[in-house]
Amino acid sequence: MSGFGRPESPAGLSRRSLGALAATLLIAGCASSTGARGSFDTETNEWSGRLALSVASEPPQSFSAGFRLTGHADAGELSLTSPLGNILAVLEWQPGQALLRQGDQTRQFTSAEAMAAELTGAPIPVRALFAWLRGQPEPVEGWQADLTQLPSGRLNARREMPLPTAELRIVLDR
């Protein structure tokens, strides 16, 4: 990835809309009941499908979107799309910085984890997410990932502690 450029003011972005975009981030889970297609590939650096994140905050928040995730934990890009295929947001990260682009507005963060935590109200284990998508169990304090359905393109992860609890569901297209 090349440099990110100068961020614009986030004034027009509400915490809820940013959360919906980021949650549909990273990170990763699907509310759709459609099945995954094709075989599971543990060597890929690209995933697509649907994801959903539910956070038991006050008030409770739920986010879902289509996604395309490329790269790895240190440098990558996540595009989030509506059911009609419109781009809702693009999240990019590399060491020391992360950007959230929504339309012509850009917001900058120090890391993908910081971006996810601020936008969703719950820390999302970005590094572990990449390991989980490759079928590698990676322990994260407070999180429990169910990788048993990964061969059929499904990943579920739940965070019990610290509060608020969160559930991430992903259904992969491939």
Side-chain angles (χ1 to χ4, degrees):
M1 268 187 295
S2 62
F4 288 130
R6 189 169 180 205
E8 299 176 24
S9 168
L13 298 175
S14 72
R15 180 179 169 113
R16 183 161 175 86
S17 67
L18 287 172
L21 297 172
T24 30
L25 175 153
L26 294 169
I27 268 183
C30 185
S32 171
S33 62
T34 60
R37 299 184 303 271
S39 61
F40 174 67
D41 181 1
T42 60
E43 301 300 317
T44 189
N45 286 324
E46 182 176 335
W47 299 269
S48 63
R50 296 221 23 101
L51 66 85
L53 176 68
S54 299
V55 180
S57 58
E58 191 51 48
Q61 299 183 52
S62 293
F63 317 102
S64 65
F67 77 94
R68 180 174 175 268
L69 175 64
T70 60
H72 49 83
D74 293 325
E77 179 176 297
L78 175 68
S79 297
L80 304 171
T81 58
S82 73
L84 297 176
N86 298 328
I87 295 177
L88 300 172
V90 176
L91 299 92
E92 297 178 10
W93 61 94
Q94 62 187 13
Q97 66 179 340
L99 289 182
L100 169 65
R101 291 191 325 259
Q102 180 184 19
D104 61 355
Q105 296 185 336
T106 301
R107 189 159 177 204
Q108 187 169 5
F109 300 86
T110 58
S111 68
E113 290 84 358
M115 178 172 48
E118 183 173 321
L119 299 177
T120 66
I124 306 296
V126 176
R127 182 164 302 283
L129 178 61
F130 280 90
W132 295 342
L133 285 168
R134 288 188 176 93
Q136 303 164 349
E138 182 160 326
V140 176
E141 188 173 342
W143 281 87
Q144 182 67 38
D146 178 3
L147 306 180
T148 61
Q149 299 296 316
L150 205 48
S152 62
R154 293 178 183 271
L155 170 66
N156 293 315
R158 183 162 178 78
R159 188 186 79 180
E160 295 294 330
M161 294 302 285
L163 296 175
T165 61
E167 184 173 7
L168 179 63
R169 294 181 314 274
I170 298 174
V171 174
L172 299 169
D173 283 341
R174 53 184 181 122

